[in-house]
């Protein structure tokens, strides 16, 4: 018998490459119901289904609930990233920036560090601050470059001021 996580993964695998719709939401909701309404992970999955279906306002409520209920360190940063992205999609740029900036400190050394930076850059660009967004993206890229760390870091800081 498959674990709950494996069954969740199966739903997402079935939805891969397709537009997520009512069927995926229903399948995720059914699995979430197995864990109960007070399970952060279940709420996170419910939020993700709605987010993927183009229902960011519904997703935001569920992401916030999942965070309040508590998530493990594998899912908490994912939830924060997805919450910030949904807030961006809703045009709630200040809230999105507050959420993602708080996560930057928490994920500074974690596996989602670059994803946090990517969402941060997108939020800034969507908020009309594209140079600052480019700066964030460049600074995230610098550690992956074989050379030019110092110069790219300096350029990233310099370009950030172009929006002001």
């Amino acid at each position: 018998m498959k674990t709950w996580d494996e069954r969740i993964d199966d739903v997402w695998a079935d939805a891969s490459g397709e537009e997520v719709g009512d069927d995926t939401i229903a399948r995720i909701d059914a699995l979430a119901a197995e864990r109960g309404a007070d399970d952060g992970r279940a709420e996170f999955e419910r939020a993700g289904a709605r987010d993927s279906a183009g229902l960011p306002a519904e997703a935001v409520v569920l992401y916030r609930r999942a965070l309040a209920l508590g998530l493990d360190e594998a899912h908490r940063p994912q939830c924060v990233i997805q919450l910030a992205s949904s807030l961006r999609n809703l045009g709630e740029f200040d809230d999105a920036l507050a959420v993602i900036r708080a996560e930057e400190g928490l994920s500074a050394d974690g596996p989602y560090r670059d994803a946090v930076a990517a969402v941060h850059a997108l939020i800034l660009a969507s908020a009309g601050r594209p140079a600052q967004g480019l700066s964030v993206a460049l600074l995230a890229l610098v550690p992956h470059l074989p050379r030019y760390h110092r110069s790219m870091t300096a350029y990233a800081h310099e370009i950030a001021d172009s929006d002001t």
Side-chain angles (χ1 to χ4, degrees):
M1 176 145 197
K2 289 188 174 188
T3 67
W4 188 86
D5 285 329
E6 290 170 334
R7 292 182 292 143
I8 285 286
D9 290 344
D10 287 346
V11 174
W12 287 117
D14 289 347
S16 179
E18 298 177 13
E19 186 173 311
V20 171
D22 293 340
D23 179 60
T24 301
I25 291 172
R27 290 176 65 196
I28 292 289
D29 283 354
L31 288 169
E34 293 177 13
R35 292 178 73 143
D38 290 329
D39 184 273
R41 176 68 192 288
E43 294 299 276
F44 168 65
E45 295 297 341
R46 292 181 65 231
R50 282 151 181 83
D51 199 359
S52 296
L55 303 169
E58 291 180 28
V60 164
V61 172
L62 292 167
Y63 285 138
R64 290 190 191 278
R65 180 165 165 69
L67 289 166
L69 290 169
L71 291 164
D72 61 31
E73 279 307 301
H75 294 95
R76 188 199 52 74
Q78 293 176 55
C79 187
V80 172
I81 290 164
Q82 291 170 218
L83 169 60
S85 179
S86 291
L87 289 166
R88 179 190 75 86
N89 288 334
L90 292 169
E92 297 178 23
F93 305 126
D94 290 340
D95 286 346
L97 284 169
V99 166
I100 208 66
R101 284 180 174 147
E103 186 60 27
E104 281 178 326
L106 297 173
S107 291
D109 297 322
Y112 293 100
R113 160 184 78 237
D114 294 337
V116 168
V119 171
H120 188 179
L122 285 170
I123 294 165
L124 287 167
S126 295
R129 295 163 32 198
Q132 289 177 24
L134 176 59
S135 175
V136 168
L138 285 171
L139 290 171
L141 181 61
V142 165
H144 305 285
L145 300 175
R147 298 182 57 127
Y148 314 111
H149 292 192
R150 189 181 56 219
S151 60
M152 288 299 145
T153 299
Y155 294 145
H157 288 294
E158 180 184 310
I159 200 168
D161 296 331
S162 299
D163 286 334
T164 57

